[in-house]
Short mmCIF file of all heavy atoms in Angstrom, two decimals:
data_model
loop_
_atom_site.label_atom_id
_atom_site.label_comp_id
_atom_site.label_asym_id
_atom_site.label_seq_id
_atom_site.Cartn_x
_atom_site.Cartn_y
_atom_site.Cartn_z
N PRO A 475 -34.03 3.20 -13.16
CA PRO A 475 -33.23 2.05 -12.77
C PRO A 475 -33.06 1.14 -14.08
O PRO A 475 -33.92 1.05 -14.89
CB PRO A 475 -34.03 1.34 -11.71
CG PRO A 475 -35.52 1.71 -11.96
CD PRO A 475 -35.44 3.11 -12.46
N PRO A 476 -31.91 0.44 -14.08
CA PRO A 476 -30.86 0.26 -13.12
C PRO A 476 -29.64 1.17 -13.29
O PRO A 476 -28.55 0.78 -13.03
CB PRO A 476 -30.42 -1.25 -13.36
CG PRO A 476 -30.67 -1.40 -14.84
CD PRO A 476 -31.75 -0.49 -15.23
N PHE A 477 -29.76 2.28 -13.96
CA PHE A 477 -28.66 3.17 -14.33
C PHE A 477 -28.38 4.00 -13.15
O PHE A 477 -29.13 4.20 -12.09
CB PHE A 477 -29.13 4.10 -15.48
CG PHE A 477 -29.48 3.28 -16.74
CD1 PHE A 477 -30.81 3.09 -17.04
CD2 PHE A 477 -28.51 2.84 -17.51
CE1 PHE A 477 -31.13 2.33 -18.13
CE2 PHE A 477 -28.83 2.06 -18.69
CZ PHE A 477 -30.19 1.81 -19.01
N SER A 478 -27.08 4.55 -13.13
CA SER A 478 -26.50 5.00 -11.94
C SER A 478 -27.19 6.17 -11.21
O SER A 478 -27.20 6.41 -10.06
CB SER A 478 -24.94 5.40 -12.18
OG SER A 478 -24.97 6.39 -13.25
N GLY A 479 -27.68 7.06 -11.98
CA GLY A 479 -28.43 8.27 -11.50
C GLY A 479 -29.52 7.93 -10.57
O GLY A 479 -29.95 8.66 -9.71
N PHE A 480 -30.19 6.76 -10.87
CA PHE A 480 -31.34 6.40 -10.07
C PHE A 480 -30.98 6.17 -8.65
O PHE A 480 -31.57 6.71 -7.67
CB PHE A 480 -31.94 5.09 -10.55
CG PHE A 480 -32.85 4.28 -9.61
CD1 PHE A 480 -34.07 4.85 -9.30
CD2 PHE A 480 -32.37 3.17 -8.99
CE1 PHE A 480 -34.91 4.12 -8.32
CE2 PHE A 480 -33.21 2.55 -8.03
CZ PHE A 480 -34.49 3.01 -7.70
N PHE A 481 -29.82 5.50 -8.51
CA PHE A 481 -29.39 5.15 -7.04
C PHE A 481 -28.93 6.41 -6.27
O PHE A 481 -29.42 6.56 -5.05
CB PHE A 481 -28.19 4.15 -7.11
CG PHE A 481 -28.59 2.81 -7.73
CD1 PHE A 481 -28.32 2.51 -9.02
CD2 PHE A 481 -29.16 1.81 -7.00
CE1 PHE A 481 -28.70 1.27 -9.69
CE2 PHE A 481 -29.59 0.66 -7.55
CZ PHE A 481 -29.30 0.42 -8.82
N SER A 482 -28.16 7.28 -6.86
CA SER A 482 -27.71 8.46 -6.16
C SER A 482 -28.90 9.50 -5.94
O SER A 482 -28.92 9.95 -4.87
CB SER A 482 -26.51 9.09 -6.82
OG SER A 482 -26.92 9.42 -8.20
N LYS A 483 -29.66 9.58 -6.97
CA LYS A 483 -30.82 10.59 -6.84
C LYS A 483 -31.81 10.09 -5.81
O LYS A 483 -32.39 10.89 -4.99
CB LYS A 483 -31.40 10.84 -8.17
CG LYS A 483 -32.44 12.08 -8.07
CD LYS A 483 -32.85 12.45 -9.55
CE LYS A 483 -31.75 13.13 -10.30
NZ LYS A 483 -32.21 13.45 -11.67
N ASP A 484 -32.06 8.81 -5.71
CA ASP A 484 -33.00 8.25 -4.74
C ASP A 484 -32.50 8.61 -3.32
O ASP A 484 -33.31 8.85 -2.41
CB ASP A 484 -33.18 6.80 -4.96
CG ASP A 484 -34.16 6.10 -4.01
OD1 ASP A 484 -35.33 6.28 -4.18
OD2 ASP A 484 -33.76 5.61 -3.02
N GLU A 485 -31.26 8.47 -3.10
CA GLU A 485 -30.65 8.74 -1.64
C GLU A 485 -30.86 10.22 -1.41
O GLU A 485 -31.18 10.66 -0.19
CB GLU A 485 -29.20 8.33 -1.62
CG GLU A 485 -28.92 6.91 -1.81
CD GLU A 485 -29.63 6.03 -0.83
OE1 GLU A 485 -29.59 6.41 0.34
OE2 GLU A 485 -30.18 5.10 -1.15
N ILE A 486 -30.67 11.11 -2.42
CA ILE A 486 -30.97 12.57 -2.19
C ILE A 486 -32.38 12.74 -1.80
O ILE A 486 -32.61 13.53 -0.89
CB ILE A 486 -30.51 13.35 -3.40
CG1 ILE A 486 -29.02 13.28 -3.61
CG2 ILE A 486 -30.88 14.85 -3.28
CD1 ILE A 486 -28.52 14.10 -4.87
N LEU A 487 -33.34 12.20 -2.51
CA LEU A 487 -34.77 12.46 -2.36
C LEU A 487 -35.04 11.87 -0.90
O LEU A 487 -35.88 12.48 -0.21
CB LEU A 487 -35.59 11.83 -3.37
CG LEU A 487 -35.38 12.45 -4.81
CD1 LEU A 487 -36.26 11.57 -5.77
CD2 LEU A 487 -35.75 13.83 -4.83
N ALA A 488 -34.45 10.77 -0.40
CA ALA A 488 -34.81 10.19 0.78
C ALA A 488 -34.29 11.14 1.87
O ALA A 488 -35.04 11.36 2.90
CB ALA A 488 -34.08 8.84 0.92
N ALA A 489 -33.04 11.67 1.72
CA ALA A 489 -32.56 12.69 2.72
C ALA A 489 -33.52 13.88 2.81
O ALA A 489 -33.75 14.41 3.88
CB ALA A 489 -31.19 13.06 2.34
#
Side-chain angles (χ1 to χ4, degrees):
F477 301 97
S478 60
F480 162 74
F481 296 96
S482 57
K483 190 171 289 186
D484 182 78
E485 297 300 315
I486 292 178
L487 295 178

